[in-house]
């Protein structure tokens, strides 16, 4: 199979990377694009740059490496949903096999209604939403080419500079806010809802009611930018295009409207002709080999049959399997003796972005609407409250019927952190998060929502997260940490002890971003890959 190795010529092409202009186009002298890119990575292949995982960190790495003239292979354990194999048929109220990563029953975040379990039996399949179950925490993640961008709500929020400096003091924040956050926003296609339309659309009644109640209790709300194409959504409302956000699609994928990574970063990377993407390929082990790494990859079908175990060698490996995927892989490899020099800090510093979810039962005069867009547009900002900081997304509950439920996803400043550890008995990796670790998040969210309940004369719903359970405190959408920047890695994501091995994803970020995290993950990846290409490919 033809590969374009990391030749001296292509290497030289990256030598002076460092200016934004250079990042945007192949440099003079970059290696020519291969005539015909191979379909997927071959057993026995030697590749220059291997990217593991196709979420935000992986997509940034793939684009900037290929633009710098470096032939790049990207392996992703989930399906490629964009090759015409099918569309995202599942909705939040009707999960089918495409909804869930290899389970016999769906595993919905809001899993009960009126006390009844609303999950459904489904065939085992490489569905788009995975729930990784640890002892006291299940972690939702996207699976497929595009990673979390396939399943997320598209909220693209920049943290305050002060908070960014609090969590990542070793990073030059001036450069982040002048260069890398704007670069990430532009490449992701971040935009904002038309305020006039939001005021009139029946699909955003839930947001307006949530805002009214927050304001009446003295809390301010903020409009949240998003990567969803708001003009497309207007047309959905007008009935002139196929509905997606207005048809209950989000956590199991959007067929239309959402600018997921397969339409932005990854599409651009593919357009260079230097990217080979291998879906349904999972990296299972990694050992030093010569001056690079020998990588074992398991290829499966979308029903889970293993069709190949491949071994490839790579000069440089960019780990972008997500906070959980990257941490699990590294902790296991270290325990097995495959990557013996990894820092002791690998596996620690994990947090859930302080996530907790909860619903309030509105009175009948505060209906939230039978029609609800799946894309959130407002957040309640109580981050200034030193007694319990929170940023609370006014979330939709798009069931197609009036439920009077006001749903919230709170991001809170929870100081608790957990660690991943290898379990010899199961050959698996555990996460030390305890049920009690979520209590500070509940306390912070209550500082806002108790006050709203008191003012409105309302109560919490107790039937959404169990038969009698108020708080969705045992799952997260926002895993962060496990291989922290500056401790497990150097200040740009190079893993200590193993040259040529990098972390590119949410594993670098210490547990909480104060807002929805993907914009921060993307901007940090932009910063790091620029430095790595500039210094390590000479
Ligand atoms: P991620 O996007 O998870 O990508 C990792 C990729 O690696 C995945 O595609 C995996 O399948 C793949 N992978 C894992 N292990 C392997 C392996 N061994 N071999 C090959 N491939 C592998 O990582 N964030 C926001 O900012 N705004 C939102 O509105 C928002 N809503 C969300 C809603 C839901 C339901 C969920 C689940 C998440 C949401 N998030 C949101 C979180 C966001 O999607 C997440 O922080 C990022 O996707 C993390 O990016 P990473 O690059 O770290």
């Amino acid at each position: 199979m033809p590969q374009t190795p990391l030749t001296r010529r292509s290497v030289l092409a990256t030598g002076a990377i460092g200016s934004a202009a250079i990042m945007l186009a192949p440099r003079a002298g970059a290696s020519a694009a291969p005539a015909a890119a191979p379909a997927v990575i071959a057993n026995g292949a030697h590749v220059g740059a291997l990217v593991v995982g196709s979420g935000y960190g992986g997509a940034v790495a793939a684009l900037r490496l290929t633009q710098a003239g470096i032939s790049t292979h990207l392996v992703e354990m989930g399906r490629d949903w964009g090759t015409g194999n099918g569309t995202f048929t599942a909705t939040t109220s009707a999960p089918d096999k495409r909804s869930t990563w290899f389970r016999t029953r769906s595993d919905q975040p809001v899993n009960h209604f009126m006390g009844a379990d609303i999950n459904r039996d489904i065939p085992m399949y490489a569905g788009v939403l995975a729930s990784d179950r640890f002892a006291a925490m299940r972690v939702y993640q996207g699976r497929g080419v595009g990673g979390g961008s396939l399943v997320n709500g598209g909220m693209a929020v920049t943290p305050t500079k002060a908070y960014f400096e609090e969590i990542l003091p070793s990073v030059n924040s001036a450069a982040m806010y002048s260069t890398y956050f704007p670069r990430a926003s532009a490449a992701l296609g971040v935009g904002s809802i038309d305020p006039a339309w939001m005021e009139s659309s029946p699909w955003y009644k839930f947001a307006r009611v949530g805002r009214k109640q927050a304001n009446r209790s003295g809390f301010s709300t903020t409009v949240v930018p998003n990567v969803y194409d708001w003009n497309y959504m207007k047309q959905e409302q007008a009935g002139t295009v196929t509905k997606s956000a207005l048809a209950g699609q989000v956590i199991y994928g959007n067929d239309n409207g959402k600018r997921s990574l397969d339409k932005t970063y990854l599409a651009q990377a593919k357009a260079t002709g230097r990217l080979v993407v291998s879906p349904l390929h999972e990296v299972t082990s990694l050992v030093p080999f010569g001056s690079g790494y020998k990588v074992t990859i398991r290829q499966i079908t979308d029903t889970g049959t293993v069709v190949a175990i491949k071994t490839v060698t790579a000069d440089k490996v960019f780990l972008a399997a997500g906070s959980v995927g990257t941490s699990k892989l590294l902790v296991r490899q270290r325990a097995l003796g495959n990557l013996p020099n990894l820092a002791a800090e690998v596996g620690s510093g994990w947090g859930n972005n302080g996530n907790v979810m909860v619903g309030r039962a509105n009175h009948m005069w505060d209906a939230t609407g039978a029609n609800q867009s799946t894309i959130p547009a407002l957040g309640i900002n109580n981050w200034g409250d030193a007694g319990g900081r929170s940023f609370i997304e006014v979330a939709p509950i798009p069931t197609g019927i009036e439920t009077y439920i006001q749903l919230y996803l709170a991001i809170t400043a929870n100081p608790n952190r957990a660690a991943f550890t290898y379990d010899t008995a199961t050959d698996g990796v555990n996460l030390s998060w305890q049920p009690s670790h979520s209590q500070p998040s509940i306390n912070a969210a209550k500082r806002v929502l108790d006050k709203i309940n008191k003012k409105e004369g309302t109560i919490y719903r107790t039937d959404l997260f169990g038969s009698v359970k108020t708080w969705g405190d045992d799952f997260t959408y926002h895993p962060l940490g496990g291989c922290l920047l500056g401790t497990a890695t150097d200040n740009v994501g190079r893993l200590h002890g193993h040259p040529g091995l990098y972390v590119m994803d949410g594993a670098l970020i210490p547990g909480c971003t104060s807002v929805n995290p993907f914009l921060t993950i993307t901007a940090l990846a932009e910063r790091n890959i620029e430095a790595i290409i500039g210094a390590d490919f000479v």
Side-chain angles (χ1 to χ4, degrees):
M1 185 166 294
Q3 307 287 336
T4 306
L6 198 61
T7 60
R8 177 73 184 150
R9 190 160 163 251
S10 67
V11 163
L12 282 173
T14 69
I17 206 81
S19 81
I22 288 168
M23 298 301 281
L24 298 175
R27 304 189 57 212
S31 65
V40 294
I41 199 163
N43 185 32
H46 174 76
V47 303
L50 184 76
V51 179
V52 182
S54 62
Y56 292 91
V60 171
L63 177 59
R64 300 314 178 193
L65 287 164
T66 53
Q67 283 183 330
I70 300 160
S71 289
T72 302
H73 285 252
L74 188 157
V75 290
E76 162 57 52
M77 69 191 282
R79 294 181 76 226
D80 184 346
W81 295 89
T83 52
N85 292 336
T87 49
F88 295 117
T89 47
T91 62
T92 43
S93 49
D96 64 14
K97 70 175 185 182
R98 289 160 190 256
S99 66
T100 306
W101 180 256
F102 292 110
R103 288 192 178 279
T104 53
R105 195 162 166 76
S106 65
D107 192 11
Q108 308 229 66
V110 176
N111 51 23
H112 281 67
F113 187 66
M114 308 277 277
D117 182 350
I118 55 171
N119 281 309
R120 294 186 179 194
D121 291 338
I122 48 171
M124 294 268 268
Y125 190 73
V128 71
L129 185 69
S131 62
D132 247 324
R133 282 181 169 262
F134 298 98
M137 178 59 52
R138 58 189 203 279
V139 184
Y140 287 97
Q141 297 146 91
R143 285 271 183 273
V145 176
S149 76
L150 300 170
V151 300
N152 68 35
M155 299 172 77
V157 199
T158 309
T160 63
K161 199 163 171 226
Y163 187 73
F164 183 88
E165 287 166 351
E166 196 177 315
I167 57 164
L168 289 167
S170 66
V171 176
N172 178 344
S173 61
M176 287 300 296
Y177 283 76
S178 65
T179 303
Y180 302 110
F181 275 113
R183 183 178 293 172
S185 291
L188 291 167
V190 177
S192 279
I193 193 169
D194 171 353
W197 185 74
M198 195 191 80
E199 295 309 323
S200 65
S201 171
W203 300 87
Y204 279 96
K205 187 174 182 191
F206 76 93
R208 297 193 297 272
V209 172
R211 179 185 59 193
K212 177 186 75 179
Q213 295 178 339
N215 292 166
R216 275 205 298 236
S217 288
F219 298 105
S220 63
T221 56
T222 175
V223 173
V224 177
N226 205 288
V227 297
Y228 202 87
D229 181 341
W230 294 106
N231 284 328
Y232 189 87
M233 202 189 294
K234 281 184 180 174
Q235 294 169 58
E236 290 181 51
Q237 180 176 301
T240 56
V241 295
T242 307
K243 284 189 172 63
S244 185
L246 304 194
Q249 288 194 325
V250 66
I251 63 169
Y252 303 132
N254 285 89
D255 283 317
N256 297 290
K258 190 160 70 180
R259 296 186 189 97
S260 43
L261 290 166
D262 50 315
K263 300 183 179 67
T264 58
Y265 274 96
L266 293 170
Q268 278 192 58
K270 277 188 184 169
T272 65
R274 297 188 183 87
L275 181 68
V276 176
V277 178
S278 301
L280 295 169
H281 280 60
E282 180 187 6
V283 169
T284 55
S285 93
L286 197 62
V287 289
F289 182 77
S291 59
Y293 293 88
K294 187 185 280 183
V295 182
T296 308
I297 302 171
R298 177 169 52 202
Q299 182 182 4
I300 60 165
T301 64
D302 54 15
T303 51
T305 305
V306 178
V307 288
I309 303 288
K310 300 179 178 177
T311 305
V312 306
T313 51
D315 293 334
K316 299 199 186 304
V317 179
F318 294 84
L319 296 176
S323 159
V324 171
T326 293
S327 304
K328 281 196 340 191
L329 190 60
L330 288 174
V331 163
R332 182 166 177 272
Q333 296 311 297
R334 183 181 52 198
L336 297 178
N338 292 342
L339 294 173
N341 304 332
L342 288 177
E345 287 85 354
V346 168
S348 59
W350 186 88
N352 63 356
N353 210 21
N355 276 187
V356 282
M357 216 181 222
V358 72
R360 290 180 37 257
N362 275 352
H363 292 298
M364 293 189 77
W365 55 83
D366 269 340
T368 47
N371 289 331
Q372 300 193 12
S373 169
T374 57
I375 300 297
L378 292 178
I380 304 169
N381 190 354
N382 196 39
W383 204 260
D385 179 356
R389 300 188 277 180
S390 66
F391 177 77
I392 303 180
E393 171 188 324
V394 180
I397 182 151
T399 57
I401 55 166
E402 177 58 65
T403 63
Y404 302 95
I405 296 171
Q406 197 78 60
L407 191 68
Y408 305 93
L409 172 64
I411 295 165
T412 63
N414 185 329
N416 289 317
R417 296 291 176 263
F420 294 94
T421 48
Y422 181 67
D423 183 342
T424 41
T426 61
D427 189 25
V429 174
N430 300 330
L431 178 66
S432 65
W433 190 267
Q434 300 297 312
S436 61
H437 288 170
S438 294
Q439 194 58 46
S441 296
I442 295 175
N443 296 347
K446 279 166 68 71
R447 291 174 73 83
V448 174
L449 301 175
D450 278 4
K451 205 167 166 189
I452 293 178
N453 269 341
K454 193 168 174 211
K455 178 79 178 173
E456 303 297 327
T458 52
I459 55 171
Y460 292 113
R461 298 281 300 219
T462 58
D463 61 333
L464 303 179
F465 303 102
S467 49
V468 186
K469 180 165 168 52
T470 301
W471 292 90
D473 59 352
D474 52 0
F475 66 87
T476 182
Y477 288 172
H478 299 164
L480 290 167
C483 290
L484 302 190
L485 190 83
T487 57
T489 74
D490 74 357
N491 202 30
V492 293
R494 295 183 190 95
L495 277 155
H496 293 306
H498 289 287
L501 189 56
Y502 308 89
V503 175
M504 293 300 302
D505 55 26
L508 293 171
I509 298 177
C512 180
T513 53
S514 76
V515 291
N516 314 63
F518 76 61
L519 192 60
T520 306
I521 295 170
T522 308
L524 195 63
E526 287 280 19
R527 165 195 181 268
N528 294 348
I529 196 71
E530 186 179 89
I532 290 164
I533 291 173
D536 294 10
F537 285 81
V538 289

